[in-house]
Amino acid sequence: MLDLLFFLLLGHYIGDFALQSDNLAENKKKSIRALSLHVFIYVIAVGAMLYLGLWYNRSEFLLQVVNLYALGGLFILHWTQDFVKSRCVKCGRQVFYTDQAIHLAVLYAMRIIIYNG
């Protein structure tokens, strides 16, 4: 059995990299609408992988409300984090790595919340 975290990380990769075009990545720095679209796509990708992981693991948590709350919280946290990062004037690699580390920590916390919530 694969841990749910694997599926959440896969969703993160799909939503934050594979489904984010260069145009959207650039526009989300200037446009709240583009930022919101990116985060919506991100949460859909993570949510799809979350439910795939729960289904794969035959989890009784498959249809619990806590999952919807976790996805709503993920939307708010990811949006806020990307908004703050988009306002960074001189963002180097350290900011990118810190941003990604926080995203991954949020996903890990989400996994804990789903199984212990």
Side-chain angles (χ1 to χ4, degrees), residues 1-97:
M1 290 276 165
L2 292 171
D3 191 89
L4 184 61
L5 186 60
F6 168 80
F7 291 94
L8 292 171
L9 294 175
L10 183 59
H12 170 74
Y13 172 77
I14 292 168
D16 222 18
F17 297 103
L19 294 179
Q20 182 175 200
S21 67
D22 292 340
N23 186 38
L24 185 57
E26 192 58 38
N27 285 334
K28 74 178 187 181
K29 296 175 186 175
K30 306 172 215 163
S31 165
I32 297 295
R33 188 178 201 175
L35 173 62
S36 298
L37 176 61
H38 160 67
V39 177
F40 179 75
I41 292 168
Y42 176 83
V43 171
I44 293 296
V46 172
M49 290 299 105
L50 166 66
Y51 281 94
L52 180 64
L54 290 170
W55 173 82
Y56 175 81
N57 288 306
R58 297 190 170 110
S59 175
E60 69 265 13
F61 300 105
L62 186 59
L63 296 174
Q64 287 194 345
V65 174
V66 70
N67 301 346
L68 297 176
Y69 288 135
L71 289 172
L74 180 64
F75 184 94
I76 293 166
L77 290 170
H78 195 95
W79 192 96
T80 303
Q81 190 178 338
D82 278 13
F83 178 80
V84 170
K85 186 180 77 169
S86 73
R87 300 309 186 248
C88 178
V89 177
K90 292 186 178 184
C91 294
R93 287 183 185 222
Q94 288 180 325
V95 172
F96 172 78
Y97 294 139

Side-chain angles (χ1 to χ4, degrees), residues 98-114:
T98 302
D99 174 63
Q100 290 302 308
I102 294 170
H103 285 324
L104 299 180
V106 166
L107 292 173
Y108 184 71
M110 187 174 165
R111 181 216 177 270
I112 292 171
I113 289 167
I114 288 170

